[in-house]
Amino acid sequence: MTAKTPPRPPQVTMLGSFVLGASAMLVLLAFDRVAALTTIEAQQDIADFLGTSSGEVLGLDADGMQTLIKAIWTFLGGAAVITSFLGWRVLQRDRGARLALSILVPLMLLSGSVVWQVNATFSFDEMLTILVAVSTLLLWTQPARDWFAGRTPAPLAPRPTSTAATAAPAAPTSTPTALPGYAPPPTAGQSAGASTPPPAPDPWGRTPTAAPEPGKQPLPRPVVTAVVATIVASSVVLAACLIGLVGVTTDRSGMENAMADEISGRSAYDDLDLDPALLVNLTIGLLVVLLVWAIIAIGLAAMVANRVNAARIALAVSAIGAALASLLGAMLVVPLLITAACITVAVVLLRSSTSQWFAEQKRPGQHR
């Protein structure tokens, strides 16, 4: 018989609703802010910001600053989609969603601070992001912590009574003497002097199956989902990186010429003094890093299937980082699918039921 889940405190309902609602509004504002970058007011705000000391530190011109702001708003919009889903999962008592919120929200505040410095006034999107951050922080206070841990919040201590109040008479401590020859009646489901009957034999002659050993129990369906999603998404990234490496290394000169044409065709790159050969080297390095990352993720998925708790935590952190990195290509279809797979893996592996299963399935001599 499973323990009864304690009721959700009103504070958690309010905070989870704040995260869900504010994140949904941030998604809409992200589209509006990106579309408004071409207006005269936005261009004037960028020019005014570049004239300040903070803008001079960046070393960007108007076109470069506009590109940076667009990239930041793309990240904030994608992150708001994730936090809106995590806010709904928080209302379902998902401790992994609360942890993922605590990791993602500081990154939103850090990246959004660059955009908010361009605006001279306190903007509505800044208020929404701060609301999400404060709500996430309050999810770690009482009684939210007790509810996420499955504990019933302790009742408040009663107020001390007045000294003038008279104490109630104490109940007698002596027990009544039983009458001679009296015996208590048998309890329900029992008869006096009767023992529990043995279980009836199986009519088919089958013997009861013994419970499987902890190390031989099958993987739960959520863990299987996380393992399969990791292997499929990592295999796609691995294949794409291999194809990219083969293409760049076999036709390096053509890649350099294409980058030189791209640099010369955009005025935003005039003052950056970019070297096409250096950009090709950076591209090769990035592809190698992503390739190694995908191989490590596949290895971690195999260790998760083998019930290694440390691999579960490492794979969840890797999935969160991969989800954020994949948002750089959020305008394409494939990176969005990778982002969805990474979010699924992180949420599933950080669920309280998953972590409890790993704790129960610890085998002798295995390090968690």
Side-chain angles (χ1 to χ4, degrees), residues 41-65:
E41 292 81 3
Q43 296 292 333
Q44 184 62 40
D45 291 338
I46 292 175
D48 295 340
F49 172 73
L50 292 176
T52 62
S53 59
S54 300
E56 293 176 356
V57 171
L58 296 177
L60 298 176
D61 57 0
D63 293 337
M65 190 64 193

Side-chain angles (χ1 to χ4, degrees), residues 19-51:
V19 173
L20 178 59
S23 299
M25 297 182 68
L26 271 176
V27 175
L28 301 178
L29 281 176
F31 286 102
D32 180 71
R33 295 293 189 266
V34 171
L37 284 176
T38 57
T39 61
I40 299 177
E41 292 81 3
Q43 296 292 333
Q44 184 62 40
D45 291 338
I46 292 175
D48 295 340
F49 172 73
L50 292 176

Side-chain angles (χ1 to χ4, degrees), residues 106-308:
L107 298 177
M108 295 175 62
L109 289 173
L110 182 62
S111 59
S113 61
V114 179
V115 179
W116 300 326
Q117 288 184 9
V118 178
N119 300 326
T121 58
F122 187 77
S123 57
F124 184 58
D125 49 81
E126 184 177 359
M127 182 189 70
L128 291 176
T129 309
I130 294 176
L131 177 61
V132 173
V134 173
S135 300
T136 303
L137 179 63
L138 293 178
L139 285 173
W140 293 91
T141 60
Q142 297 288 359
R145 286 190 300 175
D146 289 335
W147 182 70
F148 277 102
R151 299 187 301 264
T152 302
L156 298 177
R159 295 183 178 180
T161 57
S162 175
T163 55
T166 57
T173 56
S174 60
T175 56
T177 305
L179 297 176
Y182 172 80
T187 58
Q190 291 183 346
S191 59
S195 59
T196 304
D202 191 346
W204 302 102
R206 296 173 299 187
T207 58
T209 305
E213 298 180 5
K216 298 181 179 179
Q217 290 188 1
L219 294 175
R221 185 174 298 178
V223 178
V224 175
T225 302
V227 170
V228 172
T230 300
I231 294 176
V232 172
S234 300
S235 300
V236 172
V237 174
L238 183 61
C241 291
L242 287 175
I243 294 173
L245 283 174
V246 172
V248 173
T249 54
T250 55
D251 190 13
R252 183 185 178 92
S253 59
M255 187 70 176
E256 291 181 0
N257 294 332
M259 286 190 174
D261 295 339
E262 178 69 17
I263 293 172
S264 61
R266 290 179 176 268
S267 59
Y269 300 144
D270 294 342
D271 299 333
L272 297 180
D273 191 19
L274 298 176
D275 185 10
L278 177 61
L279 293 178
V280 171
N281 292 332
L282 292 176
T283 302
I284 294 176
L286 178 61
L287 290 175
V288 171
V289 170
L290 293 177
L291 187 145
V292 175
W293 192 350
I295 295 176
I296 294 175
I298 294 176
L300 290 175
M303 296 174 67
V304 167
N306 200 27
R307 293 171 294 275
V308 179

